Each structure stands twice: as structure tokens, then as C-alpha cells.
Amino acid sequence: MALSTKPYKGTRDFYPEDMYVQKWMFENIAKTVEGFGYQPYDGPMLEPFELYAAKSGQEIVEKQLYWFTDRGERKVAIRPEMTPTMARMVAGKVMELPKPVRWYSIPNLWRYERPQRGRLREHWQLNVDVLGGDNLFADAEILKLAHAVIAGFGGEDKIRIAINNRKLINHVFKNLLKLDADAALKASKAVDARDKIGEEAYLKLLAEAGLNSDQTSTMENFFKSDLETVCSDFDCEGARELNELFSVLKDDAISSVLKLEPQIMRGLDYYTGTVFEVYDVSPENNRAMFGGGRYDNLIGLFGNQQLSGVGFGMGDVTLRNFLESHNLLPELKSHLDVFFVTANRDAVIQSEKLASDLRKLGIKCASSLSTAKFNQQLKQANKLNAKIAVIIGESELENQQLTLKDLVKGEQTSIATNQLTSHLKSMLPGSFN
Ligand code: HAM
């Protein structure tokens, strides 16, 4: 039986047209985050299993992690997220790194998930993190940056940023609902999964966590609170932090899309303060587009030094869905400046010489690698979106001439071979170095 040409379930092949989109998205992101002073980093795709077991949370470790035992009997995981790698790297040089540490990366990550809209088994994820600095200002910066990344694509009025604080949730679970730590964790997981699993399964999980109907409705009421109510009803650090954050951001462009939503939990266990999710307002993309939060205890896992951080992760799948839903993706095509059409062996050899001179001047050029009929070669040129065909036929070779065909306008001219560069300069002014 012939081998399948399909990629592994939940993964994508990136044919050139997809690579152009990916590259464009990542370049756009890099421009925005580097504008805020963030520096690129990367790490290995494989990490010791324990790195995730320590803090990522049960769902990732038990249900989504790809892992294996290597030939040296080490338990190795393929990274499902970047934050533990980033924390390991920061902890490894924590004394030397200038603070605040502002880092970004766009790694590919693997999670064994049920493939669906916005969720695959392999995705690329922008990670932006700042460690050190004043917590309030760092939280505000990360939120502004999340907003700016989307604004960089022209989509800033098509999102909603839902924000909450883990300390507030902990306070409510403990003091209002009187839940113990185990019940609180289970309830928070149920709330986090609510949209994904539906109302019936959600209520079942709450009951399993030990919540009675009074507690469930008290919690539901709490989820409807706005900032003012939260601040007047709950005397706790979480409410105060939220209040300060809203006040610091009140004159920023983000304020029109930022909203307190007390049901925001975030699935990962390491968040300790501010948490947020960014939603696409288009009903087509109903799951969170991206999210993040503050973690106080990750760096400390690697030694004595504590360094608090805040950041977010944004997947390329949800970003692309967002850009497509709102028509924010430009038409991206490969393009060649010049395509050589060649009649015979000598013409191919001459085209190679001319091409290597042009490349030094920044012109993108290629030849057909054949001596097929001109019509066929011109079709190839059109498929590659070449702007100009340089035709070297037998008569051209004999008379030391070239025929230039403008493939956009359809116009054709004959020129002396040694005039190629000057002609192209007037035809393709923007393409030269
Ligand atoms: P996360 O919520 O697990 O957070 O993932 C962040 C984002 O990555 C999601 O909102 C989504 O855009 C994308 N994503 C996650 N899983 C998938 C998937 N299976 N397919 C496609 N996209 C996906 C984290 O991973 C945190 N480490 C982010 C972070 C960085 N927090 C602080 N710094």
C-alpha cells in the first residue's frame, strides 16, 4: 500500500503559501514586541518530564504531554508550553541578567488535544514575558503589549480583554464559599473548562468538587460583579491589585476593551496574581484567542532566588483565524523579479551568469532549468508571479541581445545584453539594493 501524504493528526504541512503567511505574522509580531524592548530567546524542544510535572498542571501533564523514555532511560517530554523552559533559562542566569528581563519567543509546541477550530496538536506560540520590575507596572505593560500586538495587525477594536486576579478568586473561594484547597482547585478547573465542556458537565464537576447549590449560585453571582462591586465587597489584595491596574490603564488605548470578568481562571497552575484572556469578538472564534498572567513562584523552583514574572502566550492558529475572520490578512504571494526563459544550453549558461550578477544587486531571479518551448517556460514564470521574463533565444544569443517581457503589462522590448541592469533599474525601481 502506498504511504499516506497526510500529515500526522492535528499537525499542519506548511506549503509555501502558508509559510508566507506565517512569516508575515511572525515578522509583524517581532516588530511590535521589539519596539517594547523585548529580546528574542529560544530553548530545546525536549525537556525533562519533571519540568512540567512541577507546575504546569494536571491537564497538561496527564492528558496532553507527549513524552518518551530515551535510550539512557531518561523520561523526556516534548515541550507543551514555553514558560517552564523560559523560567529554567532565567533561573540559570538570574544574577547576571539585566532586570527587568524582557524576553519573547515563538516556539512550536506539542499538546495531545482533540483537534478542533483553534486547537491543534502542534502550534506555534508567541511567548512574551517580563520578570522583575514593579508588579503593577509590569502587569500593565504586558496588557498594553497584548493590545499592541493585535493593533499591529489592525484588529484592536475587534477584541475584548477579560481580566481577573487569582488572589481575588482564592479569597472568594476560601472566605465566601468556604472551600478547602482541594475543592477550590477542582472548582477553578471546572470554571476554566466551562465553555469547552458545556453547562451540564460543568455543573457535574462542581458537584464532584463538593459545591452545593447555594455555593454554586453564590459563585455565579460573584461572576457577574463589576470592578466597583468587587472593590467594595471584598477587602483583599486581589481586589486592590485589580483596582490599581485599571486605574494605571484608564487613559490608555486598551481601556476601551479591558473588562473585569471574575470567571477568568486560566488553566495553568502557576498563576498567582493577574490573569487575563483575550477574546475575538467574532462569534466564529468563540474560544479564547490568547491569554496569560502573573507567576510568583516559578523561578524559585530552580533555587533560592525568587523573581516574579508576568507574560502571555498567543497561538498562531487562533491568530490566523482572527485575521481571516476580520479580513486582516493581506494577499501574500511569492514573487520573483526576473525569470529567465532559455532556448538552449548556451542560453542557460548565459542566464546563470546574468542571474548571479543581478542577485548581487538584490534582484530575486531564477531560471526554468530547461530548454522547453517558450510558451511553457512563460507559463512557469506566471505561476511563480515573476515580474519580468528575460528571454534568451537563438537569435538573441547571436545578436548579443535579450528580450524583456513585462509579465504584468504584457509589453515586450529588445535590448542589448550589456544594458540589462540599466533597463531593469527603470522597470523594477524598488527591487534593487
Ligand atoms: P495557554 O493558555 O495554555 O498558556 O496557551 C496560550 C495560548 O496558546 C492559547 O490561548 C492559544 O492561543 C494557544 N494554544 C494553546 N494550546 C493550543 C493548541 N493545542 N492549539 C493551538 N493553539 C493553542 C500557556 O501556554 C502559557 N505558558 C502562556 C504564558 C506565557 N503565560 C505566561 N507566559
Side-chain angles (χ1 to χ4, degrees), residues 158-231:
K158 311 212 163 37
I159 52 166
R160 182 181 105 237
I161 304 183
I163 182 172
N164 197 11
N165 190 302
R166 275 272 175 101
K167 290 176 196 162
L168 171 68
I169 303 165
N170 293 344
H171 176 86
V172 168
F173 280 1
K174 192 171 164 204
N175 300 305
L176 184 70
L177 303 177
K178 311 281 181 212
L179 301 180
D180 64 24
D182 183 52
L185 182 69
K186 286 186 180 145
S188 78
K189 297 286 171 199
V191 176
D192 186 57
R194 188 173 186 174
D195 287 347
K196 194 160 84 179
I197 61 178
E199 216 46 25
E200 201 180 317
Y202 164 65
L203 291 172
K204 193 161 165 256
L205 284 182
L206 287 187
E208 280 168 17
L211 271 76
N212 60 32
S213 59
D214 278 354
Q215 286 167 311
T216 304
S217 65
T218 308
M219 185 167 76
E220 204 55 43
N221 273 339
F222 162 65
F223 290 159
K224 294 191 189 113
S225 324
D226 57 15
L227 183 66
E228 218 174 292
T229 327
V230 160
C231 292

Side-chain angles (χ1 to χ4, degrees), residues 14 28 37 41 67 92 108 110 129 140 147 153 197 246 288 293 314 323 338 346 369 401:
F14 288 81
N28 192 313
Y41 73 97
W67 64 271
N108 59 331
W110 288 81
D129 288 273
H147 184 259
F153 291 103
I197 61 178
F246 271 92
M314 178 175 77
L323 297 175
V338 169
D346 288 345
L369 296 177
Q401 284 198 320

Side-chain angles (χ1 to χ4, degrees), residues 72-90:
E73 299 297 316
R74 295 173 203 90
K75 213 168 160 184
V76 180
I78 303 178
R79 61 185 176 195
E81 58 156 336
M82 196 61 171
T83 311
T85 300
M86 181 277 302
R88 179 178 63 68
M89 289 171 62
V90 170

